Amino acid sequence: MSSSDIFIGETIGTAVLILLGAGVVAAVVLKRSKAQNAGWLAITFGWGFAVMTAVYMTGTLSGAHLNPAVTVGIAIKDSDWSNVPVYVAGQLLGAMIGAALAWVAYYGQFQAHLTDPEIVAAKSEHAGMVDQKTEPNAGPVLGVFSTGPEIRNVWQNLATEIIGTVVLVLAVLAFGLNDEGKGLGTLGGLIVALTVVSIGLSLGGPTGYAINPARDLGPRIVHALLPLPNKGGSDWGYAWIPVVGPLIGGALAAGIYNLAFV
């Protein structure tokens, strides 16, 4: 694979991943959406199908890492870091593009939701009750773009992201998705997608299961830049956890793989 193939493949693949993933969250949480209140099952399966679509679309171009934690895990496994910057650059750019496209697709719903008197009143009431020293006034639709904890506990939130990412990256390495067809072959993308669904259902409750630094950081930057009314903050105080946690998890998964499977 050439550097240009890797960059293009990761940009396109991650853009599709975030477009469909952020799209299903927007469909479920925003007012005036036909899928409003469809629930957590819709979100977890939507993200799983997003992974499957992106992997099959760009696997032949770049191997479809679509996640810096996966890239780091593979680099440790293979002792080859030469293409890591290209992979990560494509992933971050793609994540930002996908988030912006999700905003375009749901532009009317974002406007209707964020200007709805009920939402505005609830946001104002919440802002008055929250101690800004302990909890930032995150906007009501930040969850469309990025993850956030239900209970703010740094060690638990970090541990949850690490554990979820270990499961994901170890699965990718063990399934052989990026092992030149010697693993599950064309079934690999489907199995990894179902693994993502499983992680979401089982481990997604505490933090929303970022398990992907680019998936969280790129859309969070877009949220900060978009002209969304009443959007509130982007919760930058929490933003390091869904970046650092998955990177640690990817490295641990590679270590486990090298110890147990090689």
Side-chain angles (χ1 to χ4, degrees):
M1 297 175 186
S2 68
S3 295
S4 60
D5 284 343
I6 291 171
F7 183 77
I8 292 169
E10 292 298 295
T11 300
I12 294 173
T14 312
V16 170
L17 168 65
I18 301 304
L19 169 61
L20 298 180
V24 72
V25 179
V28 170
V29 304
L30 296 181
K31 288 182 176 291
R32 305 291 294 277
S33 165
K34 292 182 182 295
Q36 187 182 7
N37 298 322
W40 187 246
L41 279 175
I43 289 174
T44 54
F45 275 94
W47 273 105
F49 293 146
V51 169
M52 182 182 68
T53 303
V55 166
Y56 282 125
M57 184 181 295
T58 61
T60 56
L61 269 178
S62 65
H65 294 189
L66 313 177
N67 182 342
V70 172
T71 299
V72 167
I74 292 172
I76 293 173
K77 167 183 169 286
D78 295 338
S79 299
D80 181 4
W81 294 80
S82 59
N83 288 316
V84 169
V86 180
Y87 272 103
V88 174
Q91 291 156 2
L92 187 59
L93 176 61
M96 295 177 69
I97 292 171
L101 290 175
W103 168 67
V104 171
Y106 280 90
Y107 177 82
Q109 282 70 31
F110 275 112
Q111 297 300 113
H113 188 94
L114 289 170
T115 57
D116 184 274
E118 180 183 355
I119 297 298
V120 173
K123 178 176 179 291
S124 299
E125 180 181 356
H126 177 72
M129 295 173 60
V130 167
D131 180 356
Q132 297 296 315
K133 294 180 181 179
T134 59
E135 180 181 343
N137 182 22
V141 298
L142 178 59
V144 174
F145 296 91
S146 297
T147 61
E150 289 299 303
I151 297 174
R152 287 180 180 268
N153 183 310
V154 170
W155 75 262
Q156 181 204 345
N157 301 153
L158 186 63
T160 300
E161 288 296 330
I162 292 172
I163 293 167
T165 311
V166 167
V167 173
L168 172 64
V169 177
L170 188 57
V172 169
L173 297 178
F175 294 160
L177 180 62
N178 297 284
D179 196 18
E180 299 176 356
K182 292 188 289 184
L184 296 176
T186 56
L187 280 177
L190 174 60
I191 302 302
V192 170
L194 292 176
T195 301
V196 171
V197 173
S198 178
I199 293 169
L201 292 175
S202 301
L203 301 173
T207 63
Y209 73 117
I211 58 175
N212 182 339
R215 168 266 177 275
D216 197 274
L217 179 59
R220 197 182 297 269
I221 293 171
V222 171
H223 174 271
L225 296 175
L226 284 177
L228 294 166
N230 306 311
K231 69 178 180 179
S234 299
D235 200 358
W236 289 107
Y238 177 78
W240 68 274
I241 289 177
V243 172
V244 173
L247 290 176
I248 294 173
L252 287 174
I256 294 169
Y257 179 88
N258 286 337
L259 286 173
F261 293 88
V262 177

